Amino acid sequence: EVQLVESGGGLVQPGGSLRLSCTASGFTFKNHWMHWVRQAPGKGLVWVSSINGDGSSTSYADFVKGRFTISTDNAKNTVYLQMNSLRVEDTAVYYCARGGYYRFDAFDIWGQGTMVTVSS
Amino acid sequence: QSVLTQPPSASGTPGQRVTISCSGSSSNIGSNTVNWYHQLPGTAPELLIYSNNQRPSGVPDRFSGSKSGTSASLAISGLQSEDEADYYCATWDDSLKGWVFGGGTKVTVL
């Protein structure tokens, strides 16, 4: 079964750090772009970051550039999102999603999400 | 304020046809294909339509997508109670060099 499982969310103070993980199973991880999308409480979906299968190409939404870093460990079939200098407005459910072989392919598999709460 | 504009809500009675619009610009919808996702209450989003009008395996043919110029639309025919969900359009934006989503449309079955 193709599956994505996120972990690492939690409560953190403003200015703090958190690392999210997304572990994939049921498919060849290195053949896919992987993405992070977030959803603030009661709000819509917002793209955060993407990485290609071998980790050589990344992209970020402007509001996280310089603060968040996406990376992959193909040996562990896992994509990470290192989040530093967290702000209250980063509070959201963070979803991991699978893309295709090409950058512009749709997100066809989503994880269940992990909640990040930034509050003092 | 989302880059792609969707109506916040849409509704219909069982069996009716509902259409959701998604308006963008030349740098996003005008240049790239559109995908649609739906999100049932309390669950993760799921892919509904990709590449403007293609349905993934398992998606009923009641759902259809189209694109013209800088706008796209999703149609749900034969509306059913289980179609109550939030629907989002999304595409790549060449200027922003990133993915953009619409603000979402909540579909209610009356």
Side-chain angles (χ1 to χ4, degrees):
Chain A
E1 180 191 5
V2 176
Q3 195 174 11
L4 299 173
V5 178
E6 301 99 331
S7 60
L11 174 64
V12 62
Q13 291 188 335
S17 298
L18 215 52
R19 188 178 81 158
L20 306 183
S21 301
C22 169
T23 300
S25 58
F27 64 96
T28 305
F29 186 73
K30 65 181 176 65
N31 289 343
H32 292 263
W33 279 81
M34 297 297 295
H35 311 276
W36 288 97
V37 176
R38 75 184 188 185
Q39 185 171 36
K43 302 297 184 181
L45 302 174
V46 178
W47 170 75
V48 174
S49 183
S50 302
I51 189 166
N52 68 345
D54 64 7
S56 61
S57 180
T58 61
S59 54
Y60 299 91
D62 284 345
F63 57 83
V64 303
K65 278 181 184 174
R67 299 190 300 128
F68 291 11
T69 302
I70 191 170
S71 62
T72 59
D73 184 336
N74 284 348
K76 295 182 178 180
N77 283 357
T78 299
V79 58
Y80 303 99
L81 187 68
Q82 177 66 45
M83 304 187 296
N84 299 329
S85 303
L86 282 163
R87 305 166 179 168
V88 171
E89 54 267 32
D90 293 320
T91 295
V93 174
Y94 284 73
Y95 294 102
C96 169
R98 186 184 79 167
Y101 182 79
Y102 299 103
R103 176 192 282 267
F104 305 124
D105 289 339
F107 305 175
D108 65 345
I109 302 293
W110 295 65
Q112 85 287 353
T114 186
M115 183 71 204
V116 171
T117 303
V118 185
S119 174
S120 54
Chain B
Q1 192 83 357
S2 301
V3 173
L4 305 180
T5 301
Q6 296 180 236
S9 63
S11 63
T13 57
Q16 274 191 330
R17 175 184 170 94
V18 168
T19 302
I20 300 168
S21 61
C22 175
S23 179
S25 68
S26 58
S27 65
N28 44 65
I29 293 179
S31 307
N32 300 291
T33 60
V34 176
N35 308 310
W36 290 89
Y37 302 90
H38 71 159
Q39 185 177 32
L40 300 170
T43 69
E46 293 180 345
L47 179 63
L48 191 64
I49 295 287
Y50 67 96
S51 297
N52 301 329
N53 55 18
Q54 302 299 302
R55 284 186 307 276
S57 174
V59 173
D61 60 7
R62 303 186 293 105
F63 295 90
S64 61
S66 63
K67 185 186 111 168
S68 179
T70 59
S71 294
S73 63
L74 173 73
I76 310 172
S77 59
L79 194 65
Q80 299 180 6
S81 58
E82 55 261 41
D83 297 333
E84 280 206 341
D86 294 322
Y87 292 79
Y88 297 89
C89 57
T91 187
W92 178 263
D93 190 295
D94 293 335
S95 295
L96 298 174
K97 292 184 171 47
W99 289 91
V100 290
F101 284 86
T105 298
K106 185 175 185 62
V107 169
T108 301
V109 181
L110 302 171

